[in-house]
Amino acid sequence: MTATVIRVQPGARRGTPHTIGEAVRAASNGDEVRIAPGDYQERVLIDRQVTLVADEGPGTVRLLAVNPGIPVLEITTTTTLDGLTVLGADPSRPAVLITAGTTALADCDVAGGRVEVVRAASLEMTRCLVRESALAGVHADTGGTVTLSEGVVENVAGTGVVLAGTVTARLTDMLLRGVEGSGLRVRGGARLDMTRVEVVAPGRNALLTEDSATAVLTDCRLRDAGAEAVRVLGSSARTEVREDERTGTDGQTGTADRTGGIRVTRCELTGAGAAGVLAIGDGDVLIAETAVRDCGAAVAADGGARVEVTDCRITAPRASGVIARGSSRVTVSGTGVHDAAGNGFLAGEHARLTVALSTVRGSAFSAVHAGGDAVAELTALRVEGTPEHAVAAVERARLTVEDARVADCAMSGLHLDGSAEANVDGLTVRRGRAGVAVHTKGTVRVRGARVHGVERAGVTCGAGTAPEFTDCRVTGAGTAGFVVGAGATPLIEDCAVTGTEGSGLVVAEDAAPAVRRTTVRDTGKNGLYVGEGASGVYEDCVLAATGYPAVHLCEGARPELRRLLVEDTAEDLSQDTGAAPLVEGCVSRRVKTAVWPEETAPVAAGTAVAVTGRPQQSGTGATAPSGEGDGDGETAVIEENLDELIAELGELVGLERVKHDVASLVKLMQMVRRREEAGLAAPPLSRHLVFAGNPGTGKTTVARLYGRILAAVGLLSRGHLVEADRSSLVGEYVGHTGPKTQRVFEEAMGGVLFIDEAYSLTPAAGSNDFGHEAIATLVKLMEDHRDSVVVIVAGYPDEMEHFIDSNPGLASRFSRTLLFEDYATPELVEIVEHHAERHQYRLTKDARRALTGYFELLPRGDRFGNGRSARQTFQAMTERQAYRIAELSAPVEADLITLQPEDLPEPS
């Protein structure tokens, strides 16, 4: 049957419908009603399958309400509306009511009332505007479908879109703004799929889901919500899992292939007044590849919610980054939390928090905090910069840590208190106040911890605690390596302490640790200090190069000292009156004042050595002489982990090309090492390098790391760095240069000889300079000791090329050049920020912007020092800030630590 076109024309000749209602009543299924421009105040009931079209396009036909309590349009069958404007008279009532069939609206404008879909009806809206309604803009409580695309819902004194019943809804390229309530509310068994939807400044939530509703958000932007951006209440539909993935290796239900619950993918959630995502109840939420910025908490879970956060970016939350409470289960992977005003990750009550391959930078509180009866599992976590602890577990929390790296924490890298339990396998703590602090009475096992350069103790065992430490190393601690509190009974096995300013192990009164196979070296004070009344067992340990006597026993101390070796120090043992140690098989080697016999004449097992009380003398002892150590004449070196060294290299600012080149060299050297261990001939390999770059580009820092890396690979015995320049190598008269160069070279045996400004050794044409002799000596020594020393020559790129060309022996031995490029402006700013964090300063956003402009304008001539210029700029800023703060009558802490734009020096 051919469709009929019926025209509506007010004032037309007789026989032409003057109203839309007349035209609809006259139409048959499939007819088209074309409406002339004008206002039509009537109630239109569409009960047949017709199409209504504004004859001259959108905005030319307006349907006006007759009665405020009655819809302008009521649709009971499948219908299409094109270009109509529908104006209701009561914003709290439906302007368009759809009770059956499928209604398609295109380029329509609905105002003064909502669009309502009920029963089993369906709705399709394209390029439509819904505005100026109350309660809801679009309300669908139906078993049908709703599709909204390329439209706007705005100025609603309630919720923008409400989906209920068993409706299946899809929103694409929609904008919701000016909504006083929530942007979208999905409840009951409704299912929502929204793509490229933007919700701007709703009074409450951008999206609220309730009961067993399901929502999938993709590429959406939810901005400036008055409450949460996404709020999940009740029992949102459980995520379905393929049968072959339902059970993982641990027997737990898997989370792959999600087809239900709440999914947020590639979205932006910004400026929410409360959380970015809040899940309360027992539903599933997946948040992936999403940016959450400037919200309350970024993600929070409570009740029995299950939340997964994957590959997300969380920036500047005004509370904590991720919060798990109640009995919720939260899993986080590949996610960064930056500048949180609270914790990076927070777990409490009975929640379980699992974090993997994620980072926390700049949190105001502890980066990770677990309390109550929570369980926290951390794998490959990275933490940088917090005024509190990196990881803290208190109360009855249970903590598992594997391969975590933390740096620059103002308190402890790991803090345990209350009755918390912890199992740690692989933890690196760099800088900060303290390394590991155990004050809990719960079970604690720490394996493979590495603590470097902390201000206080590397490891603290609080009073009455009994933790276990295995294969842990402390280097460069400001006070002591291990501190054992009163009454504590820790187990310390196969550990090492080196380079502490205080003592290696300090044991307080009444403590009784068990210390086995542990090395303490290069301490500012004692290797082992046993306090009053303390005891414990100390077996098969090495104490070397201690500043005070290797072992000091206070009054009443009763330790068991078995098979200790003390070497390269002034005294092996001092003790106060009343100390009563049991000594079995302890020996000394290269000790100036020895109580214990030389190693060649060991004490028989079970023999107690009685020593008269002798107070400890401050300042006694000496450091180990260069080149001396254990029996083969080499100082024992604590092995370093290659992965940790590569990670340390990766933490350097900039230098991406250099990092790549060093990583490639490491792989090559590992292959060489494996061939040697397999008895195969090693391929020709020159380990000597040319570092070409301008001053301040990190050449010395990388050289020091390169030596440590070679030692970790096993191609150098020590890996230490000896720095030299022309004055170190070139003599002042004939016969002076060769021996001088050789002495410097011998100091570098087993490590790296770094020659800065090496081009200065090249004599000018026609001169009698002795630099050529230094070069010739170096070439010969490099040949004679090709496997014992690595030589790195450094300087300006052009000059280094001339230097290598000056001697054929140099060209054959230095076949690889690493180019150190100048730092870009963002990298210089990052260096200043790094120094600020280390010295407990903070740059304001305005100061960062001003610093960027400052470096952009800074001349990059011969006097430009790259990293050195950045350090000098930071120092100048702190000085100028000090002058500024001195003018304040009562500065607060924020004044003391904040650097402002006015603290920048004047450009030179």
Side-chain angles (χ1 to χ4, degrees):
M1 180 180 294
T2 303
T4 300
V5 176
I6 301 174
R7 298 186 179 276
V8 178
Q9 180 70 54
R13 60 184 176 81
R14 189 177 181 86
T16 299
H18 293 182
T19 69
I20 299 171
E22 289 178 26
V24 171
R25 287 190 294 273
S28 300
N29 288 338
D31 287 351
E32 180 178 292
V33 177
R34 303 193 68 88
I35 309 169
D39 290 350
Y40 298 83
Q41 188 169 18
E42 56 179 299
R43 178 175 183 267
V44 178
L45 173 64
I46 302 177
D47 56 1
R48 58 205 66 194
Q49 298 178 12
V50 296
T51 299
L52 274 62
V53 181
D55 197 29
E56 295 187 14
T60 61
V61 175
R62 302 199 312 168
L63 279 67
L64 309 178
V66 175
N67 187 314
I70 299 176
V72 180
L73 273 174
E74 183 176 349
I75 302 169
T76 63
T77 187
T78 297
T79 302
T80 299
L81 308 179
D82 191 344
L84 305 183
T85 298
V86 181
L87 302 178
D90 185 349
S92 65
R93 306 284 294 180
V96 178
L97 175 63
I98 304 166
T99 61
T102 298
T103 298
L105 278 68
D107 298 303
C108 292
D109 181 355
V110 180
R114 65 183 176 272
V115 177
E116 181 151 353
V117 188
V118 295
R119 300 176 187 167
S122 295
L123 170 67
E124 299 174 5
M125 296 182 68
T126 305
R127 299 181 304 278
C128 292
L129 171 62
V130 179
R131 56 190 173 90
E132 298 169 9
S133 62
L135 302 180
V138 176
H139 182 274
D141 189 348
T142 175
T145 61
V146 170
T147 302
L148 310 180
S149 62
E150 303 177 63
V152 177
V153 177
E154 64 181 5
N155 300 334
V156 179
T159 304
V161 176
V162 177
L163 303 170
T166 58
V167 64
T168 297
R170 182 175 183 83
L171 276 65
T172 307
D173 297 304
M174 291 290 296
L175 171 63
L176 285 74
R177 63 190 176 195
V179 178
E180 294 182 12
S182 296
L184 300 103
R185 181 182 180 189
V186 189
R187 57 188 176 86
R191 301 174 67 89
L192 168 65
D193 190 339
M194 49 192 279
T195 304
R196 296 184 302 278
V197 173
E198 184 169 0
V199 184
V200 180
R204 294 195 59 76
N205 314 110
L207 171 65
L208 169 64
T209 69
E210 300 174 87
D211 307 321
S212 57
T214 297
V216 178
L217 287 68
T218 307
D219 297 314
C220 295
R221 298 178 64 191
L222 312 182
R223 298 191 291 146
D224 303 324
E228 295 84 14
V230 177
R231 183 181 179 93
V232 182
L233 296 176
S235 55
S236 300
R238 284 294 189 187
T239 296
E240 298 174 10
V241 183
R242 291 199 306 264
E243 189 63 34
D244 60 346
E245 294 183 344
R246 188 169 301 278
T247 303
T249 56
D250 59 356
Q252 300 297 316
T253 301
T255 57
D257 193 29
R258 292 174 176 267
T259 58
I262 310 301
R263 292 190 291 166
V264 181
T265 306
R266 296 192 306 276
C267 294
E268 294 182 16
L269 316 180
T270 59
V277 178
L278 172 63
I280 302 175
D282 59 353
D284 281 0
V285 180
L286 169 64
I287 309 163
E289 302 174 60
T290 290
V292 186
R293 296 191 300 271
D294 190 29
C295 296
V299 178
D302 209 334
R306 298 190 300 187
V307 177
E308 182 176 340
V309 182
T310 303
D311 298 326
C312 292
R313 302 179 309 280
I314 296 173
T315 306
R318 296 189 300 278
S320 296
V322 177
I323 300 175
R325 288 198 174 98
S327 57
S328 63
R329 301 291 182 264
V330 178
T331 301
V332 182
S333 64
T335 293
V337 180
H338 296 175
D339 301 322
N343 305 107
F345 298 104
L346 173 63
E349 298 175 8
H350 297 277
R352 177 183 291 271
L353 171 67
T354 303
V355 180
L357 297 168
S358 297
T359 62
V360 180
R361 292 193 179 98
S363 60
F365 298 161
S366 296
V368 180
H369 182 92
D373 295 286
V375 175
E377 300 170 337
L378 314 176
T379 303
L381 174 72
R382 304 295 181 260
V383 175
E384 294 181 14
T386 170
E388 293 192 355
H389 310 294
V391 179
V394 301
E395 298 173 318
R396 298 163 303 283
R398 289 176 291 160
L399 174 69
T400 300
V401 178
E402 183 176 349
D403 184 31
R405 299 174 187 270
V406 305
D408 301 313
C409 300
M411 293 185 180
S412 300
L414 173 64
H415 177 82
L416 305 170
D417 210 335
S419 299
E421 298 183 355
N423 193 340
V424 179
D425 191 353
L427 168 68
T428 299
V429 180
R430 296 188 182 278
R431 301 178 295 277
R433 186 176 180 85
V436 177
V438 180
H439 299 282
T440 175
K441 303 302 189 293
T443 301
V444 175
R445 295 183 177 89
V446 180
R447 180 181 179 84
R450 304 290 184 265
V451 180
H452 307 282
V454 296
E455 297 174 9
R456 297 289 182 88
V459 176
T460 299
C461 307
T465 62
E468 298 179 7
F469 293 92
T470 306
D471 185 29
C472 298
R473 297 174 184 173
V474 178
T475 59
T479 55
F482 283 77
V483 173
V484 181
T489 57
L491 172 64
I492 302 172
E493 288 187 330
D494 300 306
C495 295
V497 177
T498 184
T500 61
E501 294 184 18
S503 298
L505 287 89
V506 176
V507 182
E509 60 185 18
D510 299 324
V515 183
R516 302 187 179 101
R517 299 180 301 280
T518 292
T519 298
V520 178
R521 184 178 296 275
D522 296 324
T523 61
K525 296 184 179 180
N526 307 107
L528 170 63
Y529 179 95
V530 183
E532 295 182 5
S535 57
V537 178
Y538 309 84
E539 298 177 328
D540 302 304
C541 298
V542 176
L543 310 173
T546 59
Y548 290 4
V551 179
H552 178 76
L553 309 178
C554 294
E555 182 179 354
R558 299 177 179 275
E560 299 178 18
L561 310 177
R562 296 189 173 98
R563 298 176 300 282
L564 304 187
L565 169 62
V566 175
E567 60 181 4
D568 299 319
T569 192
E571 293 184 70
D572 53 6
L573 177 67
S574 68
Q575 62 185 48
D576 296 339
T577 303
L582 171 65
V583 179
E584 296 181 356
C586 297
V587 295
S588 298
R589 181 166 60 184
R590 295 186 301 277
V591 174
K592 293 181 179 179
T593 304
V595 173
W596 295 334
E598 287 290 327
E599 184 182 18
T600 54
V603 177
T607 303
V609 179
V611 183
T612 57
R614 182 174 54 206
Q616 181 177 0
Q617 298 296 317
S618 175
T620 61
T623 58
S626 176
E628 293 185 358
D630 34 55
D632 59 3
E634 293 186 358
T635 301
V637 178
I638 297 175
E639 295 181 1
E640 294 193 87
N641 182 275
L642 180 60
D643 290 339
E644 293 176 5
L645 294 173
I646 295 298
E648 188 173 340
L649 176 67
E651 292 172 359
L652 299 179
V653 175
L655 306 177
E656 298 307 321
R657 180 185 298 183
V658 171
K659 294 173 185 176
H660 177 270
D661 290 345
V662 172
S664 299
L665 282 170
V666 169
K667 293 178 182 178
L668 178 60
M669 292 170 186
Q670 287 176 312
M671 182 272 293
V672 170
R673 186 66 173 171
R674 292 189 185 104
R675 287 182 61 88
E676 290 176 343
E677 291 172 348
L680 301 173
L685 173 66
S686 175
R687 296 176 291 179
H688 310 300
L689 299 175
V690 178
F691 282 7
N694 292 326
T697 49
K699 297 186 293 294
T700 305
T701 301
V702 174
R704 184 173 288 109
L705 268 171
Y706 184 63
R708 293 164 61 194
I709 288 170
L710 291 180
V713 174
L715 295 180
L716 285 177
S717 60
R718 296 177 61 191
H720 65 295
L721 182 77
V722 173
E723 298 183 57
D725 54 17
R726 175 184 169 85
S727 64
S728 308
L729 304 173
V730 179
E732 300 175 358
Y733 50 84
V734 175
H736 187 205
T737 296
K740 191 173 184 180
T741 301
Q742 184 162 348
R743 280 196 299 273
V744 174
F745 194 91
E746 288 174 351
E747 288 180 19
M749 293 291 284
V752 173
L753 175 59
F754 180 79
I755 305 174
D756 200 9
E757 298 182 350
Y759 50 80
S760 65
L761 298 175
T762 308
S767 72
N768 293 322
D769 188 89
F770 295 121
H772 67 280
E773 183 181 349
I775 293 174
T777 303
L778 279 172
V779 170
K780 184 178 186 305
L781 290 170
M782 291 166 66
E783 178 63 27
D784 294 344
H785 304 280
R786 64 179 67 185
D787 295 328
S788 300
V789 175
V790 167
V791 179
I792 297 176
V793 291
Y796 292 103
D798 292 342
E799 284 84 346
M800 291 308 299
E801 185 175 350
H802 174 69
F803 168 71
I804 296 300
D805 292 341
S806 69
N807 185 300
L810 292 176
S812 64
R813 286 162 178 80
F814 292 99
S815 59
R816 189 184 300 269
T817 298
L818 271 61
L819 180 61
F820 288 69
E821 298 176 338
D822 288 343
Y823 288 115
T825 293
E827 294 168 340
L828 294 171
V829 173
E830 188 176 348
I831 291 172
V832 172
E833 288 185 311
H834 176 70
H835 285 289
E837 290 173 1
R838 287 186 59 191
H839 294 85
Q840 295 181 310
Y841 285 89
R842 183 181 66 236
L843 276 73
T844 65
K845 292 182 180 179
D846 289 341
R848 291 189 188 94
R849 284 193 289 267
L851 189 61
T852 299
Y854 175 83
F855 282 130
E856 287 289 344
L857 297 175
L858 199 64
R860 303 293 177 101
D862 293 339
R863 297 180 61 188
F864 180 67
N866 281 288
R868 183 173 64 247
S869 293
R871 290 191 296 272
Q872 290 169 346
T873 300
F874 169 68
Q875 182 178 351
M877 292 181 73
T878 60
E879 292 172 357
R880 291 171 65 90
Q881 186 244 26
Y883 299 145
R884 177 171 57 82
I885 296 303
E887 302 297 325
L888 301 178
S889 58
V892 298
E893 182 178 347
D895 297 322
L896 299 175
I897 66 174
T898 302
L899 297 176
Q900 302 284 2
E902 55 265 34
D903 298 325
L904 274 166
E906 297 295 329
S908 56

